């Protein structure tokens, strides 16, 4: 069974249909990349998986999204549980204007009553996970906003790790970073793959080719092609995919 | 006539300079006169003694305390109510006809003359709800008067908290209310304080809303409970200057100085708190 199974998903922003009958099965502990021209619905699809689209007025969604076999659009789905399980990393690093420690402790603190020792433990583990511990262990009281953008993005991932998700959704997580920082985050993703199922949206074709196991190509709200990354990049089945990958398309 | 752009700039600066001077001059003049004529009246006894001889001698202690009571009561009522209303309007209410009506109502309430609030408070609290002329009635009236200010500034403060903070929190599985409580409100606090400052200053200085709801003409003792009347500085000042013959100008100016000084002090405290919070926030 796939980790995530998207079936006949349609999404409307008011009268505008942004996703058209999307079917997609995402495998556990793999990195799946979503590529496609601007406005084709990549972010929208990603935000369907933790129901962040629910926050927008006038959104209508039909179809199913099964995560571990359960339809998250079923009535009575616990959004808190869902979002703990399916975490999200945003395009611009968005740490809270708090200390490094408080940023990471934020999730665990609000979710359960933990004592200081447990919190310290979680903070250390999470920072180790994203390879920030050695650099930051003496600076936990510093404001997270003083970190470099790359470190901020790592911190945001650590903040996610602290609530122990299964799935990580990353919406262009490197688009605010320089090439060196980007390659470091990519290394981190390869490491995170051992523990998490990762979905990444990217405009950077090389990045998709480098980091992902599976790639989906989207166009105007439809999933045009989906398969093993190597296959999609070397022998695409669809002519549109080939045009996009070779740069003949927006 | 043609000017070089430099000349134009000089003229513009001059006009701006004159404009700001015109704004500042009355403030300076008022303060100078108040301090000059009022300061000699102010001593420990003036601030802490009861008025005597029909307010022609003694101190203004009950009026100072009365104003403090009223201002505190007003904040206790208006701040939570205003902030909760703002949270509802910004975070929960859908944008529809009803919320737009509420918003229009709030803007209009801000422009209602204070004497109307005074009469409203007398009708509702003093007479209909049988609170009598009392501190509760006065504080509630003042609270309603400053609610629009607090709601409007709290709304702006909430709206200025970046969307990315909310999304980050919600995406961690934190509930909406917790997100508001732990992320949005702390970051909106400086803005909310600003509104509160403005509200407080207004509440402390207005005469009309307290005229029929709480203010005592002459009550040389402290109120025993919140259902008592009390004296208040703005009304006391009005009484001293128009209703009681042969009050020495020294006492009149002293009272005015104390009132202005109190409002000034309240503002100062809040401004310091605000800039302290602001210096810690970096986005
Ligand atoms: N809140 C919204 N209301 C209405 N339309 C929206 C909304 N969000 C997105 N859309 C529309 O839905 C379509 C898909 O948007 P989406 O953000 O998912 O694209 P994307 O593939 O992520 O693009 P990009 O690469 O630029 O991030 C676009 O046409 C966009 O204009
Ligand atoms: Mg996008």
């Amino acid at each position: 069974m796939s980790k995530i199974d998207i079936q006949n998903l349609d999404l409307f922003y008011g009268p505008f249909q942004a996703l058209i009958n999307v079917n997609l099965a995402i495998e556990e502990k793999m990195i799946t990349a979503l590529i496609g021209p601007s406005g084709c619905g990549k972010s929208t699809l990603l935000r369907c998986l933790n129901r962040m689209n629910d926050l927008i007025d006038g959104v209508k969604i039909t179809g199913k999204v099964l995560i571990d076999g359960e339809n998250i659009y079923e009535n009575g789905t616990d959004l808190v549980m869902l979002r703990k399980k399916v975490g999200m990393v945003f395009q611009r690093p968005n740490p809270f204007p708090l200390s490094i420690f408080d940023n990471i402790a934020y999730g665990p603190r609000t979710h359960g009553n933990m004592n200081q020792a447990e919190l310290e433990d979680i903070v250390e583990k999470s920072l180790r996970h994203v390879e920030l511990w050695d650099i930051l262990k003496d600076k936990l009281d510093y404001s997270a906003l003083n970190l470099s953008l790359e470190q901020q993005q790592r911190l945001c991932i650590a903040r996610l790790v602290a609530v122990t998700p299964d799935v990580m959704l990353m919406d262009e997580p490197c688009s605010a970073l320089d090439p060196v920082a980007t390659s470091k985050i990519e290394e981190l993703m390869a490491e995170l793959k051992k523990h998490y199922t990762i979905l990444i949206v990217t405009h950077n074709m090389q990045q998709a080719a480098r980091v992902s196991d599976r790639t989906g190509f989207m166009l105007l709200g439809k999933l045009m092609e989906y398969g093993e990354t190597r296959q999609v990049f070397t022998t695409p089945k669809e002519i549109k995919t080939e045009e996009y990958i070779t740069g003949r398309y927006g | 006539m043609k000017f070089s752009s430099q000349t134009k700039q000089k003229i513009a600066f001059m006009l701006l300079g004159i404009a700001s001077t015109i704004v500042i001059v009355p403030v300076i003049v008022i303060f100078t006169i108040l301090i000059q004529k009022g300061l000699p009246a102010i001593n420990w006894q003036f601030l802490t003694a009861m008025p005597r001889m029909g307010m022609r001698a003694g101190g203004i202690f009950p009026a100072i305390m009365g104003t403090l009571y009223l201002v505190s009561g007003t904040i206790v009522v208006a701040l939570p109510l205003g902030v909760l209303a703002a949270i509802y309007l910004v975070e929960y209410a859908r944008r529809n006809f009803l919320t737009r009506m509420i918003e229009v109502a709030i803007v209009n309430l801000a422009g209602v003359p204070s004497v109307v609030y005074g009469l409203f408070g007398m009708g509702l609290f003093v007479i209909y709800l049988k609170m009598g002329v009392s501190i509760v009635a006065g504080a509630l009236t003042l609270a309603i008067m400053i609610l629009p200010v607090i709601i409007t500034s709290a709304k702006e403060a909430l709206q200025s908290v970046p969307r990315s903070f909310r999304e980050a929190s919600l995406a961690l599985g934190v509930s909406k209310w917790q997100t508001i409580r732990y992320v949005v409100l702390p970051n909106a606090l400086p803005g909310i304080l600003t509104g509160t400052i403005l509200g407080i200053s207004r509440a402390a200085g207005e005469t009309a809303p307290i005229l029929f709801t709480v203010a005592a003409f002459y009550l040389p003792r402290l109120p025993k409970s919140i259902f008592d009347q009390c004296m208040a500085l703005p009304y006391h000042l009005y009484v001293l200057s128009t209703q009681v013959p042969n009050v020495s100008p020294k006492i009149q100016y002293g009272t005015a100085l104390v009132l202005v000084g109190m409002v000034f002090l309240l503002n100062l405290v809040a401004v310091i708190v605000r800039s302290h919070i602001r210096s810690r926030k970096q986005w």
Side-chain angles (χ1 to χ4, degrees), chain A residues 39 42-44 91 171-172 201 203:
Chain A
K42 306 177 297 289
S43 301
T44 302
Q91 186 165 355
D171 195 349
E172 306 185 40
V201 167
H203 271 132

Side-chain angles (χ1 to χ4, degrees), chain B residues 102-115:
Chain B
I102 295 178
E103 269 153 25
V104 170
I106 290 170
V107 171
N108 281 317
L109 276 179
V112 171
S114 54
V115 65

Side-chain angles (χ1 to χ4, degrees), chain A residues 83-85 107-108 111 122 126 158-165, chain B residues 172:
Chain A
R83 289 180 183 152
K84 271 167 81 172
K85 185 157 141 178
H111 286 314
I122 289 179
S126 307
R159 183 172 67 184
L160 205 56
V161 168
V163 296
T164 60
Chain B
L172 288 168

Side-chain angles (χ1 to χ4, degrees), chain B residues 61 63 74 95 112 150 169 185:
Chain B
F61 184 59
T74 305
R95 298 217 46 83
V112 171
I150 294 192
S169 174
L185 268 185

Side-chain angles (χ1 to χ4, degrees), chain A:
Chain A
M1 191 176 71
S2 308
K3 182 76 183 172
I4 301 175
D5 199 357
I6 301 170
Q7 299 174 353
N8 309 321
L9 190 71
D10 290 309
L11 182 143
F12 296 83
Y13 289 118
F16 173 70
Q17 184 163 13
L19 294 177
I20 304 166
N21 194 27
V22 174
N23 286 279
L24 175 63
I26 292 159
E27 303 304 325
E28 182 155 26
K29 305 221 164 118
M30 281 196 184
I31 298 180
T32 303
L34 289 176
I35 58 172
S38 206
C40 68
K42 306 177 297 289
S43 301
T44 302
L45 180 58
L46 207 64
R47 291 163 61 92
C48 281
L49 303 183
N50 63 349
R51 291 189 55 174
M52 286 297 273
N53 287 326
D54 289 20
L55 304 177
I56 301 168
D57 276 348
V59 169
K60 206 179 113 231
I61 299 167
T62 58
K64 284 183 183 174
V65 175
L66 306 179
I67 298 183
D68 292 326
E70 284 189 46
N71 183 8
I72 61 169
Y73 282 97
E74 204 74 61
N75 283 340
T77 298
D78 183 349
L79 283 188
V80 170
M81 291 310 291
L82 171 68
R83 289 180 183 152
K84 271 167 81 172
K85 185 157 141 178
V86 183
M88 190 158 212
V89 178
F90 295 82
Q91 186 165 355
R92 281 203 67 79
N94 56 355
F96 298 121
L98 301 170
S99 72
I100 292 166
F101 185 95
D102 287 337
N103 259 279
I104 299 175
Y106 176 76
R109 249 185 205 143
T110 44
H111 286 314
N113 27 7
M114 302 212 176
N115 61 36
Q116 188 63 16
E118 285 170 313
L119 280 177
E120 279 169 18
D121 196 46
I122 289 179
V123 170
E124 176 174 347
K125 279 207 188 103
S126 307
L127 282 175
R128 280 192 193 283
H129 222 81
V130 298
E131 285 144 39
L132 276 181
W133 177 253
D134 291 327
I135 318 171
L136 296 183
K137 62 174 179 242
D138 301 318
K139 299 182 182 169
L140 296 179
D141 295 337
Y142 288 31
S143 165
L145 300 180
N146 294 334
L147 300 174
S148 71
L149 278 180
E150 181 215 334
Q151 289 175 334
Q152 288 190 14
Q153 196 61 303
R154 278 175 190 267
L155 185 78
C156 290
I157 298 174
R159 183 172 67 184
L160 205 56
V161 168
V163 296
T164 60
D166 281 356
V167 180
M168 285 188 184
L169 309 173
M170 303 188 173
D171 195 349
E172 306 185 40
C174 300
S175 64
L177 306 182
D178 64 44
V180 178
T182 299
S183 76
K184 285 189 177 156
I185 296 283
E186 286 177 10
E187 282 169 33
L188 175 63
M189 285 171 57
E191 199 55 40
L192 291 171
K193 187 171 101 171
K194 294 175 187 159
H195 308 277
Y196 309 97
T197 305
I198 298 177
L199 241 93
I200 178 175
V201 167
T202 176
H203 271 132
N204 179 335
M205 229 67 64
Q206 288 81 19
Q207 182 171 58
R210 274 193 306 263
V211 301
S212 71
D213 304 288
R214 299 286 155 88
T215 297
F217 169 63
M218 293 185 69
L219 191 61
L220 297 172
K222 292 188 184 140
L223 182 69
M224 299 298 285
E225 176 155 7
Y226 175 61
E228 273 191 44
T229 298
R230 203 152 32 95
Q231 176 259 312
V232 172
F233 276 89
T234 53
T235 54
K237 294 191 190 101
E238 299 284 333
I239 181 83
K240 294 282 187 205
T241 316
E242 187 177 339
E243 281 179 1
Y244 181 68
I245 288 170
T246 53
R248 266 179 281 155
Y249 202 103

